[in-house]
Amino acid sequence: IDAWAKSNDPEAADKAEELLNYMIDNSQDDHGDNSIQPNSRSFTCYLLALANTSGVAQKAKKAEWVLNTMHHMYNKTRNKHIRPNAFVYNYVINVCATACDNERESFAIAANAFKTLHQSKYAKCNSFSYSFFIKACSNLLPDGDERSKLVVKAYRMAEKDGFATEQVNYQLKQAIPPGMYSKFVLGS
């Protein structure tokens, strides 16, 4: 799955999904092979393949499926290696940010993943969480006050949590009007 995630093949996401489904299908029943049970890295690699493959329909829904599947598998097995971690949530948000169809639905999925990560007892936000969420706002919401307010709120949260990194600042600059960015960050 990792090889497909790093591939430039236009079918990389589909091929990674086939492998992931094979792993899931062949490890879930009593006669399954536990040695091929997927873990959070397997799912994260699939999400990376989704994010890196252009033209994939329903990217955000597929990313949401990953979270739902992982939660289901974790609740069934209590295997900590299958429990969604910050990497998984971050990649779900990033996949949504790269979705080209149904922007409102894609944003809703990204926002839900961001909110769930913030409320999680076992996964914590990091600079990528904020960077990818601001990127999702920029790519999926129309220019305007709603987007700017949401982006500024996310940036303030990143500052408060100590994650206002160069990458988060870059995404902020892409997401809000230039005059607002100058006033906001540079204080001019």
Side-chain angles (χ1 to χ4, degrees):
I1 297 173
D2 187 46
W4 285 115
K6 294 173 182 170
S7 166
N8 291 325
D9 190 302
E11 295 181 14
D14 292 336
K15 298 294 185 182
E17 184 176 351
E18 285 176 29
L19 287 172
L20 183 62
N21 281 324
Y22 176 84
M23 293 172 75
I24 293 168
D25 293 344
N26 289 289
S27 67
Q28 287 209 353
D29 60 30
D30 292 336
H31 305 291
D33 182 355
N34 285 334
S35 70
I36 62 166
Q37 183 176 32
N39 58 27
S40 60
R41 175 120 170 98
S42 310
F43 285 100
T44 302
C45 288
Y46 168 61
L47 289 167
L48 183 59
L50 271 177
N52 290 340
T53 307
S54 59
V56 176
Q58 300 292 310
K59 272 187 181 188
K61 293 297 285 181
K62 290 179 181 203
E64 183 179 48
W65 170 84
V66 165
L67 275 179
N68 292 338
T69 301
M70 290 183 77
H71 281 292
H72 173 76
M73 290 177 75
Y74 174 72
N75 290 335
K76 184 177 175 183
T77 66
R78 291 296 182 209
N79 178 344
K80 68 180 181 178
H81 300 292
I82 201 79
R83 183 174 59 197
N85 58 30
F87 290 106
V88 173
Y89 283 102
N90 289 344
Y91 277 102
V92 166
I93 297 165
N94 191 44
V95 167
C96 293
T98 65
C100 296
D101 54 354
N102 204 339
E103 292 171 343
R104 275 287 170 188
E105 181 181 44
S106 297
F107 181 74
I109 293 168
N112 186 56
F114 186 68
K115 178 182 175 186
T116 303
L117 177 57
H118 261 277
Q119 296 171 345
S120 177
K121 294 176 183 167
Y122 52 85
K124 300 294 175 210
C125 285
N126 57 39
S127 63
F128 291 100
S129 311
Y130 294 103
S131 181
F132 291 153
F133 182 70
I134 293 171
K135 178 181 173 183
C137 292
S138 181
N139 291 353
L140 301 172
L141 296 176
D143 286 337
D145 288 343
E146 176 190 358
R147 181 170 98 182
S148 294
K149 286 178 186 176
L150 196 53
V151 166
V152 167
K153 181 179 178 182
Y155 184 81
R156 292 282 187 226
M157 291 167 66
E159 278 185 321
K160 179 180 161 274
D161 292 344
F163 294 120
T165 63
E166 185 177 321
Q167 185 61 31
V168 173
N169 279 309
Y170 173 80
Q171 292 299 334
L172 173 70
K173 188 175 185 178
Q174 301 305 306
I176 61 176
M180 185 178 185
Y181 178 79
S182 296
K183 289 178 188 173
F184 185 74
V185 174
L186 305 175
S188 52

